[in-house]
Amino acid sequence: MKKQKAVDVDFESFNIVKKSEAGVKMPLYLPDGKKTTSWLKLRGVNSPSFEEAVSVADREQVELLGKESKLEQSEIDNARREITRKMLAALVVDWSDKKTPCTEKNVCEFFKGAPQIQRQVDNFATEDKHFINDSFSKPPTS
């Protein structure tokens, strides 16, 4: 393994929250792996908006827990999937589909029909490397 040379950066280079909130584009591929011109603009998991969505999802899970004794297992499973889907939809800032507005409801419907994209969104948003501040590649200013 090649040893990496240390780089000199200012502390702003460690800030991923701003870019996590603004979002970055993730290209979309068909299920067979073919590249498309479609994309989703995603927030990162360190985004304040996503952290709020996680808090909402946590509260909804607690509410569901209180109702579980009155529900069928399939209803519980469906409710859990919906809570997760809604939480992950908060990561989507924009998309290339100009015929359909990028709303939470529409993103959830998209994820419902394309669960592989929901998984990709979850994976992409957790990778900090996608949300590194552009100043990382620049030398620090004095």
Side-chain angles (χ1 to χ4, degrees):
M1 182 193 252
K2 188 176 178 182
K3 190 174 182 180
Q4 289 185 342
K5 183 179 177 189
V7 294
D8 186 20
V9 297
D10 58 29
F11 271 47
E12 181 61 23
S13 298
F14 297 99
N15 185 339
I16 61 174
V17 172
K18 284 189 236 172
K19 197 166 183 181
S20 289
E21 183 65 24
V24 297
K25 286 184 181 177
M26 179 187 84
L28 296 179
Y29 296 82
L30 292 173
D32 66 1
K34 286 185 184 135
K35 189 173 184 173
T36 71
T37 58
S38 299
W39 50 265
L40 299 176
K41 187 173 182 184
L42 303 178
R43 292 181 175 102
V45 295
N46 296 298
S47 154
S49 294
F50 182 67
E51 289 176 348
E52 177 59 30
V54 170
S55 295
V56 169
D58 288 346
R59 287 191 297 274
E60 290 174 351
Q61 290 283 9
V62 169
E63 288 174 22
L64 178 61
L65 193 59
K67 300 175 188 175
E68 282 187 356
S69 63
K70 300 172 186 129
L71 300 172
E72 297 289 324
Q73 188 60 49
S74 63
E75 293 173 303
I76 296 167
D77 294 342
N78 287 336
R80 286 183 179 153
R81 279 192 290 274
E82 286 299 318
I83 291 168
T84 299
R85 190 175 291 124
K86 190 168 95 174
M87 178 186 69
L88 293 175
L91 291 168
V92 181
V93 177
D94 195 10
W95 59 15
S96 57
D97 181 359
K98 297 307 173 200
K99 293 181 280 181
T100 310
C102 184
T103 64
E104 178 186 282
K105 180 182 176 190
N106 290 339
V107 172
C108 286
E109 281 301 310
F110 176 63
F111 284 171
K112 201 172 191 176
Q116 77 282 9
I117 301 296
Q118 180 178 317
R119 286 189 301 275
Q120 289 170 13
V121 165
D122 192 10
N123 292 331
F124 186 96
T126 61
E127 293 183 34
D128 291 343
K129 68 182 180 182
H130 298 297
F131 304 96
I132 293 173
N133 189 318
D134 293 334
S135 68
F136 181 74
S137 58
K138 300 173 191 166
T141 55
S142 301

